[in-house]
Amino acid sequence: MKSADAVDAAERRVGRVGRVLVVDDEEGIRTFLAEALERSGHEVVQVVDGAAAVRAAHEEPFDVVLTDLKMPGTDGMTVVRTVRTEQPDVEVIVLTAFGDVVTAVEAMKLGAFDYLQKPVSSPTAIRDLVAGALERRAKLAAPPRSELSTSVRLTFGAPAMVPVVDALARVAKSGATVLLQGESGTGKEVAARLLHETSPRAKAPFIAINCAVLTRELLESELFGHEKGAFTGAHAQRRGRIELANGGTFFLDEVGELEPGLQAKLLRVIEERRFERLGGSTPVTVDVRWVAATNRDLRAMAHQGTFREDLYHRLAVFPIRLPPLRERREDIVPLAESLLAHLSESAARAAPARLDDAAKARLQSEHWSGNVRELRNVLERAMILSDGPVIRSEHLWIEASGPPLDADTPSAANATSAGESLADLERQTILRTLASVGGNRRAAATKLGIGLRTLYEKLKRYDLR
């Protein structure tokens, strides 16, 4: 068994350390948190209340802030709001008493990373949560990677995809701006990566950003970067993602979510190939190939005045529509089998999961409103629900048709209503999934195919502690 010192040394070697601000008006809790984090090599600053936390965030840089929610004077929610404004890159973890989870969830909506319920008794839980926050901070600071590898093929020969593949092959050789259109989950990012990998720019960077997941302030900083002193917390110059993509391809996912002010700035960059970092006046020249994606009707938005018409025409030089899964049913089973192989490898299963004939038939008959993303989630849930490598029809929990019933769940006929039966199954599935990942809520949410906040809400609804 490794000693605590050996574990702490290992954590320092892999770089899972940062500068942490601990905020709590109870000295015992504050000291316990600080000592637990310092043992892992973190640099910890302690303050006794929210007002002191606000001052510290104004004066010093932090990687993570760990704050109590209930404090006299300036409360934790104010700390969350202020810290996220002062230092947009910081990750915030809130401490909350049992029964106040709703407030913690509200804090997460303001940008908090996660919450921890009092009483806090496990140093390991604290360290793991801070390590997760640092990991997310690092991912946001670096170019994101695609959730689906391009090793998962875009098509397996469906007739509806033939013109799409042909168009991608033709336009990849040019430098034309491409607008990928289609419902959510149809593989627009996979198509964007294929465009890049088959283009003359393949050896240069492929940089992506999702315009829907960041606040306007964070998105502007991520796109254009900033100079030292551009805003409170900007302690050093930082290159934006557009600059990092110089020579390669820049992928704007969910471009229809851009606010008007950023639309104007983006238009200028595309037209002039230059921009200024936030707080700067020196032009930065870039040479990038633009690829944008949206699940919205940008032409209609332009006519309605909610999206700039000039930007639309700049982006839609070569529009390509990716058809939904229901229009390419020939791809569903081979795509599912490819995804299962990928998921089995990621889960290090002894035997790869496979579909029986009934499961294949059911997959082909579904509507798939969430397309490839929904298919992947259904398959991942099925791997959890199945007892062995064979996935049967009853293991396929597809929301449009309702979850499957198994031996551990009462049938609708035995319940007082179908709603109770579905709720009971959902509760048991959450418990089973949490058990399979050792209680890790973030991993459980990923396996279930739902957001972390949604999982928290379900835990509260079903009183799962």
Side-chain angles (χ1 to χ4, degrees), residues 424-446:
D424 188 61
L425 175 61
E426 184 174 57
R427 184 179 189 279
Q428 292 188 35
T429 301
I430 290 172
L431 284 172
R432 195 180 298 131
T433 305
L434 282 167
S436 74
V437 295
N440 186 307
R441 290 169 293 180
R442 188 170 299 280
T446 300

Short mmCIF file of all heavy atoms in Angstrom, two decimals, residues 424-446:
data_model
loop_
_atom_site.label_atom_id
_atom_site.label_comp_id
_atom_site.label_asym_id
_atom_site.label_seq_id
_atom_site.Cartn_x
_atom_site.Cartn_y
_atom_site.Cartn_z
N ASP A 424 -39.56 4.49 -11.63
CA ASP A 424 -38.88 3.46 -10.85
C ASP A 424 -37.68 2.92 -11.61
O ASP A 424 -36.59 2.72 -11.05
CB ASP A 424 -39.85 2.33 -10.52
CG ASP A 424 -39.23 1.33 -9.55
OD1 ASP A 424 -38.89 1.73 -8.43
OD2 ASP A 424 -39.07 0.15 -9.92
N LEU A 425 -37.85 2.71 -12.92
CA LEU A 425 -36.75 2.23 -13.74
C LEU A 425 -35.62 3.26 -13.79
O LEU A 425 -34.44 2.92 -13.69
CB LEU A 425 -37.23 1.92 -15.14
CG LEU A 425 -36.12 1.52 -16.13
CD1 LEU A 425 -35.40 0.26 -15.66
CD2 LEU A 425 -36.67 1.33 -17.51
N GLU A 426 -35.98 4.52 -13.95
CA GLU A 426 -34.97 5.56 -14.01
C GLU A 426 -34.18 5.60 -12.72
O GLU A 426 -32.95 5.70 -12.72
CB GLU A 426 -35.63 6.92 -14.26
CG GLU A 426 -34.62 8.04 -14.43
CD GLU A 426 -35.26 9.36 -14.82
OE1 GLU A 426 -36.14 9.83 -14.06
OE2 GLU A 426 -34.89 9.90 -15.86
N ARG A 427 -34.87 5.50 -11.58
CA ARG A 427 -34.20 5.51 -10.28
C ARG A 427 -33.22 4.34 -10.17
O ARG A 427 -32.07 4.51 -9.75
CB ARG A 427 -35.24 5.45 -9.17
CG ARG A 427 -34.67 5.56 -7.76
CD ARG A 427 -35.80 5.50 -6.73
NE ARG A 427 -35.31 5.81 -5.41
CZ ARG A 427 -34.69 4.92 -4.61
NH1 ARG A 427 -34.51 3.68 -5.03
NH2 ARG A 427 -34.24 5.28 -3.42
N GLN A 428 -33.68 3.14 -10.55
CA GLN A 428 -32.81 1.96 -10.45
C GLN A 428 -31.63 2.05 -11.41
O GLN A 428 -30.52 1.63 -11.08
CB GLN A 428 -33.64 0.70 -10.73
CG GLN A 428 -34.66 0.40 -9.65
CD GLN A 428 -35.33 -0.94 -9.86
OE1 GLN A 428 -34.71 -1.88 -10.32
NE2 GLN A 428 -36.62 -1.03 -9.54
N THR A 429 -31.88 2.61 -12.60
CA THR A 429 -30.79 2.74 -13.57
C THR A 429 -29.72 3.71 -13.05
O THR A 429 -28.52 3.47 -13.21
CB THR A 429 -31.33 3.22 -14.92
OG1 THR A 429 -32.30 2.28 -15.39
CG2 THR A 429 -30.20 3.34 -15.95
N ILE A 430 -30.15 4.80 -12.44
CA ILE A 430 -29.19 5.75 -11.86
C ILE A 430 -28.37 5.08 -10.77
O ILE A 430 -27.14 5.22 -10.71
CB ILE A 430 -29.93 6.99 -11.33
CG1 ILE A 430 -30.49 7.81 -12.49
CG2 ILE A 430 -29.00 7.85 -10.48
CD1 ILE A 430 -31.39 8.95 -12.06
N LEU A 431 -29.04 4.32 -9.88
CA LEU A 431 -28.33 3.62 -8.82
C LEU A 431 -27.33 2.63 -9.39
O LEU A 431 -26.18 2.54 -8.94
CB LEU A 431 -29.34 2.89 -7.92
CG LEU A 431 -30.13 3.74 -6.93
CD1 LEU A 431 -31.22 2.91 -6.27
CD2 LEU A 431 -29.20 4.32 -5.86
N ARG A 432 -27.76 1.87 -10.40
CA ARG A 432 -26.90 0.87 -11.01
C ARG A 432 -25.68 1.52 -11.68
O ARG A 432 -24.56 1.04 -11.58
CB ARG A 432 -27.71 0.07 -12.04
CG ARG A 432 -27.06 -1.23 -12.49
CD ARG A 432 -27.95 -1.95 -13.50
NE ARG A 432 -29.22 -2.32 -12.93
CZ ARG A 432 -30.40 -2.09 -13.49
NH1 ARG A 432 -30.46 -1.47 -14.66
NH2 ARG A 432 -31.52 -2.47 -12.92
N THR A 433 -25.93 2.64 -12.34
CA THR A 433 -24.84 3.34 -13.02
C THR A 433 -23.86 3.93 -12.02
O THR A 433 -22.63 3.85 -12.20
CB THR A 433 -25.40 4.44 -13.93
OG1 THR A 433 -26.35 3.86 -14.83
CG2 THR A 433 -24.30 5.10 -14.73
N LEU A 434 -24.37 4.55 -10.96
CA LEU A 434 -23.49 5.09 -9.92
C LEU A 434 -22.62 3.99 -9.32
O LEU A 434 -21.43 4.19 -9.07
CB LEU A 434 -24.32 5.78 -8.83
CG LEU A 434 -24.84 7.18 -9.17
CD1 LEU A 434 -25.90 7.60 -8.16
CD2 LEU A 434 -23.71 8.18 -9.18
N ALA A 435 -23.23 2.83 -9.09
CA ALA A 435 -22.48 1.71 -8.52
C ALA A 435 -21.37 1.26 -9.47
O ALA A 435 -20.26 0.92 -9.05
CB ALA A 435 -23.41 0.55 -8.20
N SER A 436 -21.67 1.30 -10.79
CA SER A 436 -20.69 0.81 -11.77
C SER A 436 -19.47 1.72 -11.88
O SER A 436 -18.43 1.29 -12.37
CB SER A 436 -21.35 0.65 -13.14
OG SER A 436 -21.59 1.91 -13.74
N VAL A 437 -19.60 2.99 -11.45
CA VAL A 437 -18.48 3.93 -11.54
C VAL A 437 -17.98 4.35 -10.17
O VAL A 437 -17.33 5.38 -10.02
CB VAL A 437 -18.87 5.17 -12.38
CG1 VAL A 437 -19.15 4.78 -13.81
CG2 VAL A 437 -20.08 5.90 -11.78
N GLY A 438 -18.33 3.55 -9.17
CA GLY A 438 -17.84 3.83 -7.83
C GLY A 438 -18.37 5.10 -7.20
O GLY A 438 -17.72 5.70 -6.36
N GLY A 439 -19.57 5.51 -7.61
CA GLY A 439 -20.19 6.69 -7.02
C GLY A 439 -19.77 8.00 -7.65
O GLY A 439 -20.19 9.07 -7.19
N ASN A 440 -18.96 7.96 -8.70
CA ASN A 440 -18.50 9.19 -9.35
C ASN A 440 -19.65 9.79 -10.16
O ASN A 440 -20.05 9.23 -11.19
CB ASN A 440 -17.30 8.88 -10.26
CG ASN A 440 -16.70 10.13 -10.86
OD1 ASN A 440 -17.39 10.93 -11.47
ND2 ASN A 440 -15.40 10.28 -10.70
N ARG A 441 -20.17 10.92 -9.71
CA ARG A 441 -21.36 11.49 -10.36
C ARG A 441 -21.09 11.97 -11.77
O ARG A 441 -21.92 11.83 -12.66
CB ARG A 441 -21.90 12.66 -9.50
CG ARG A 441 -22.52 12.19 -8.20
CD ARG A 441 -22.78 13.34 -7.26
NE ARG A 441 -21.53 13.93 -6.81
CZ ARG A 441 -21.46 14.96 -5.98
NH1 ARG A 441 -22.55 15.54 -5.53
NH2 ARG A 441 -20.29 15.45 -5.60
N ARG A 442 -19.92 12.53 -12.01
CA ARG A 442 -19.61 13.02 -13.35
C ARG A 442 -19.51 11.85 -14.34
O ARG A 442 -20.04 11.91 -15.45
CB ARG A 442 -18.30 13.81 -13.32
CG ARG A 442 -17.98 14.52 -14.63
CD ARG A 442 -16.81 15.47 -14.44
NE ARG A 442 -17.12 16.49 -13.44
CZ ARG A 442 -17.84 17.58 -13.67
NH1 ARG A 442 -18.33 17.79 -14.87
NH2 ARG A 442 -18.08 18.46 -12.71
N ALA A 443 -18.85 10.76 -13.92
CA ALA A 443 -18.76 9.59 -14.79
C ALA A 443 -20.14 8.96 -15.01
O ALA A 443 -20.45 8.49 -16.10
CB ALA A 443 -17.80 8.56 -14.18
N ALA A 444 -20.97 8.97 -13.97
CA ALA A 444 -22.32 8.41 -14.10
C ALA A 444 -23.15 9.21 -15.10
O ALA A 444 -23.88 8.65 -15.93
CB ALA A 444 -23.01 8.38 -12.74
N ALA A 445 -23.04 10.53 -15.03
CA ALA A 445 -23.79 11.38 -15.96
C ALA A 445 -23.36 11.11 -17.40
O ALA A 445 -24.19 11.03 -18.31
CB ALA A 445 -23.58 12.86 -15.61
N THR A 446 -22.05 10.92 -17.60
CA THR A 446 -21.54 10.62 -18.94
C THR A 446 -22.09 9.30 -19.45
O THR A 446 -22.54 9.19 -20.60
CB THR A 446 -20.01 10.58 -18.93
OG1 THR A 446 -19.50 11.85 -18.50
CG2 THR A 446 -19.45 10.26 -20.30
#
